[in-house]
Each structure stands twice: as structure tokens, then as C-alpha cells.
Amino acid sequence: MRRKFVAGNWKMHGSLAENQTLLSQLARGLKGSESLDIAVFATAPYLFQCKSLLASTPLNWGAQNMSQYSQGAYTGEVSAQMLQDFSCKYVIVGHSERREIFSENNSVVADKFAQALKAGVTPILCVGESLQQRESGVAEAIISEQIQAVLNVVGVSGFAHSVIAYEPVWAIGTGKTASPEQAQEMHAAIRAQLAKENENIAANMQILYGGSVKPGNAADIFAKPDVDGALVGGASLNANDFIQICKAAS
Ligand code: PGA
């Protein structure tokens, strides 16, 4: 039985004071949510703040990005080992904003995924198609390619310790959500692709949906059998909204 997982991607937002308020509201509002996996993803300078403030709560925390390299002359980068050094549990890899704005291709994303696994940090692999790709009927092929690139590097066993987030690019931050049926269809296709390699790993894989998830649409999306939770951007910055989304999942 797969647990539901609600992840809050704060993106490049927050300050010590704002985070403190948000984290304490979440800790209070989400007391007793042990049946659910919940995590927030802050920018690197604030990870230690998340670690301190969430220590005795059911909430986890993770990083939004990391380097594809293990160490060396890579100014400005953070390695998976550094994240692991202070018990970071998760890291997002291949978010569409990283792919688009920072030109990360499938091969870079696969290397990051492999580095995270090697360090013992659970990667959350983001995959998603653009609007143009969806309209031209290649959405499934694009997602399959993005997953295959990672399979080629780590093999299916690497997916046993990971999470996948399907985030159609046209639904991120636009207020346009994929319909629950569109999400279900893609999640089932992702699970089927993994099942071809290993049925057990596929059956246990948490596959999250991301793209304009809000309190008003979360329950319908979570009701679909292959949707195991959400990666929430905008609505994760508002404690009430995020708490309501978590409640819809539990
Ligand atoms: P959104 O972002 O919920 O604001 O659409 C989702 C994401 O980018 O992970």
C-alpha cells in the first residue's frame, strides 16, 4: 500500500522570519499527520533552519537542486554528500524550471539522480511535457524518454529509493491544472514503463502530480488510483492552503 506524499516546493522564496512563521504554522496544523509523507523544499541557505525547526515534527524537508558532480572546483554548487551530511532526506532533480532556465538536459538530470542515490538522499525526479508537445501528441513519448534517460544510468533498482513527480510544464504556475483523468493517464503510463523492468518497484513507486495544485482541486486529483500525492509550488507558501492539501491526501 503506497503512502500519499505531499511536497511543498518553495522555489526562490522565503526569509528567516517568513520561514519561521510558515514552519511553525505547518507544524501546528499538521500535528498527527504521521500516516502521510510531507516535506518542504527550501533554498539551500534555509535548509538548516528547516532541519532545526522541524526536528520533532512529522514533517520532512529537502533541497530543490544539487550538483551532478560529487566534489571539486564547481563554484556555487552543493553536492549530494553535503546534503546528506546534515541528514537532508530528499532532493528534487530535473524540475522543469531547471531544465528550461538552467539548460539541464536528461543526461545531467540522470547524473544528479545517481549522485543523490549514491549519497543516500532520496531523489524526486520531475518529468513533464510542454504545451506544444502535448498538443502535438508526443507527451507520453517525452515523459518516457525522460524516465528512460535515468533508467539507463541507474537501472530500475535505482527507482526503488526514489519518487517521481509528473508536472506538465503548461500547468506549472499557470493556474491550469491537468484534469484528474489526464494526470491518471500519464501516471499509469509511467508505472507501466517501470513495471516492464520490475513490477514490484513499479507497484511501490510514489508518483506525485504537480502543476497548480490547490485546496480546491487536490481531492479530485488524489482520488485517482495512480496519483500518490502532489508536488505543490505556489500553494505551499500559504500555510492554510498547504495544510488543506495535506488533509485532502490523508
Ligand atoms: P505550482 O508549481 O503548484 O505553483 O504550479 C508546481 C511546481 O513547480 O512544482
Side-chain angles (χ1 to χ4, degrees):
M1 182 62 186
R2 295 185 301 269
R3 283 164 66 87
K4 286 269 198 288
F5 186 173
V6 179
N9 175 10
W10 291 357
K11 309 194 180 183
M12 203 170 74
H13 295 287
S15 67
L16 282 173
E18 284 168 6
N19 301 348
Q20 177 152 13
T21 306
L22 180 54
L23 290 170
S24 63
Q25 287 170 334
L26 294 180
R28 218 175 313 122
L30 292 166
K31 246 191 206 137
S33 343
E34 279 79 6
S35 63
L36 190 67
D37 292 331
I38 304 172
V40 294
F41 293 79
T43 55
Y46 300 119
L47 291 177
F48 201 78
Q49 184 188 25
C50 293
K51 175 181 164 78
S52 316
L53 295 181
L54 297 178
S56 51
T57 75
L59 309 189
N60 293 297
W61 51 277
Q64 296 174 10
N65 180 36
M66 48 161 268
S67 174
Q68 67 267 44
Y69 304 113
S70 56
Q71 67 166 12
Y74 301 107
T75 302
E77 292 293 288
V78 173
S79 74
Q81 190 57 48
M82 290 167 184
L83 295 176
Q84 194 281 329
D85 196 20
F86 60 104
S87 323
C88 179
K89 184 161 175 159
Y90 298 106
V91 62
I92 297 172
V93 298
H95 189 281
S96 65
E97 286 151 17
R98 304 280 335 159
R99 291 178 189 263
E100 270 178 33
I101 307 168
F102 301 98
S103 311
E104 290 184 8
N105 59 26
N106 280 342
S107 144
V108 168
V109 173
D111 288 346
K112 289 187 178 201
F113 189 103
Q115 287 288 344
L117 284 184
K118 201 163 106 196
V121 180
T122 303
I124 300 184
L125 172 66
C126 295
V127 293
E129 82 285 0
S130 67
L131 185 58
Q132 192 237 328
Q133 287 165 335
R134 175 156 286 265
E135 284 173 346
S136 53
V138 296
E140 250 186 66
I142 292 292
I143 304 306
S144 164
E145 228 173 75
Q146 292 173 344
I147 289 179
Q148 192 58 47
V150 179
L151 277 170
N152 291 347
V153 173
V154 301
V156 72
S157 61
F159 280 81
H161 306 286
S162 75
V163 176
I164 294 175
Y166 167 58
E167 299 202 300
V169 178
W170 47 273
I172 295 179
T174 57
K176 274 191 216 153
T177 326
S179 68
E181 292 68 31
Q182 283 172 320
Q184 167 57 27
E185 202 179 12
M186 193 62 84
H187 285 222
I190 293 170
R191 207 178 296 288
Q193 182 178 5
L194 294 173
K196 271 197 238 148
E197 311 279 332
N198 184 311
E199 285 193 10
N200 193 38
I201 289 174
N204 287 310
M205 174 60 69
Q206 284 173 313
I207 307 178
L208 317 184
Y209 168 78
S212 300
V213 175
K214 309 277 179 234
N217 59 24
D220 286 345
I221 297 169
F222 295 157
K224 293 294 175 192
D226 285 295
V227 177
D228 304 309
L231 181 53
V232 184
S236 71
L237 295 169
N238 178 296
N240 278 337
D241 285 357
F242 192 67
I243 291 165
Q244 280 187 57
I245 294 169
C246 290
K247 304 255 185 237
S250 58

